[in-house]
Amino acid sequence: MSTAEAESNNFVLWTSAASSLTLLSLYYVFNVAQKPKIYASNKLKAFLIEHVPILNEKYWPTWYNWEGRLQSLMGLFQRISDSQLLPYTREIVTLHDGGELALDCLEPTDPRTTAENDDRLIIFLLPGLTSCSQTSYVKSLVLAVTKVGATAYVLNNRGLGGVALKTPRTYCATKYEDVMEVIAHLKQKHPKEKMIAIGTSLGGYLSLLFLSS
């Protein structure tokens, strides 16, 4: 191959790469980066926009990993091992019908990130259908929460997290009374602290039912 042919091939290659990168960048800016869509009543929507102003801003996903299936694939290599157990403090909560569930707590480990009681933030995590406090993605959330100085509480639904069922009743997507009791318990235990609930999958649905009650 002559020098001229090699230079021509390099030009075509670099031009194609630059064009592809430009198109990908334009697609990311105008199609991937979007403001969150809020599906709620006008009253709830107005409340969220007022108290969570970031909802008015565009969400810019990681530019090299914005697609959901790719995120799931990469997550396989970033999950915390099942053998790496977090050192929770466990509290057994007895419910009104005699049932029991476990509430696991992890405090911030760095004293420099721990706020005073009046400013401390409580994060209440509600995992998915079969998940508990030692499930990989839950542990990742807990570590992210404690890293910024908040206290994490994780709900282990009835029969999960190593706690045996005490009554014939288990948990399901239509019954959120257990969540109501645990939230009331946390409010009584931390009357001055602000609290945020984060639910994933089933936990998100139960959070929604609680808000609508």
Side-chain angles (χ1 to χ4, degrees):
M1 181 182 295
S2 65
T3 303
E5 290 177 334
E7 290 179 351
S8 176
N9 289 338
N10 288 336
F11 176 77
V12 172
L13 180 63
W14 284 107
T15 301
S16 299
S19 299
S20 299
L21 185 60
T22 300
L23 290 174
L24 193 62
S25 300
L26 291 173
Y27 178 79
Y28 175 80
V29 171
F30 293 105
N31 291 277
V32 176
Q34 299 286 339
K35 286 185 178 181
K37 295 180 180 179
I38 306 173
Y39 298 94
S41 66
N42 291 333
K43 183 178 181 181
L44 178 57
K45 184 176 181 179
F47 174 85
L48 291 173
I49 290 176
E50 179 182 356
H51 292 85
V52 191
I54 198 172
L55 293 175
N56 291 310
E57 302 176 9
K58 273 189 174 183
Y59 171 62
W60 298 85
T62 306
W63 65 269
Y64 59 84
N65 187 26
W66 74 70
E67 206 273 332
R69 285 161 291 193
L70 182 59
Q71 292 173 357
S72 297
L73 182 62
M74 293 189 67
L76 293 175
F77 302 99
Q78 297 177 342
R79 290 179 179 174
I80 301 173
S81 170
D82 291 338
S83 61
Q84 182 183 343
L85 303 180
L86 296 187
Y88 293 108
T89 299
R90 169 159 290 192
E91 178 182 4
I92 301 299
V93 179
T94 301
L95 305 167
H96 75 283
D97 64 347
E100 292 181 349
L101 54 78
L103 191 60
D104 288 338
C105 173
L106 190 65
E107 299 278 359
T109 54
D110 187 350
R112 293 173 297 177
T113 63
T114 304
E116 297 296 331
N117 284 342
D118 289 345
D119 298 321
R120 191 170 63 162
L121 181 62
I122 303 295
I123 304 295
F124 178 40
L125 299 173
L126 296 87
L129 182 61
T130 61
S131 302
C132 66
S133 59
Q134 296 293 355
T135 303
S136 180
Y137 74 88
V138 177
K139 290 187 287 188
S140 296
L141 279 172
V142 169
L143 292 178
V145 164
T146 56
K147 185 177 180 180
V148 297
T151 298
Y153 279 92
V154 185
L155 172 70
N156 296 278
N157 286 303
R158 300 187 190 213
L160 297 181
V163 178
L165 285 172
K166 296 293 185 179
T167 65
R169 176 180 173 178
T170 181
Y171 65 97
C172 72
T174 61
K175 300 294 184 181
Y176 60 93
E177 290 84 356
D178 290 357
V179 174
M180 295 181 67
E181 287 193 56
V182 173
I183 290 177
H185 172 73
L186 287 174
K187 286 184 176 180
Q188 184 178 15
K189 189 173 182 178
H190 302 282
K192 295 183 179 180
E193 288 88 340
K194 297 178 180 178
M195 186 185 305
I196 295 176
I198 300 176
T200 60
S201 191
L202 173 66
Y205 182 67
L206 292 174
S207 302
L208 181 62
L209 289 179
F210 171 78
L211 290 173
S212 64
S213 64

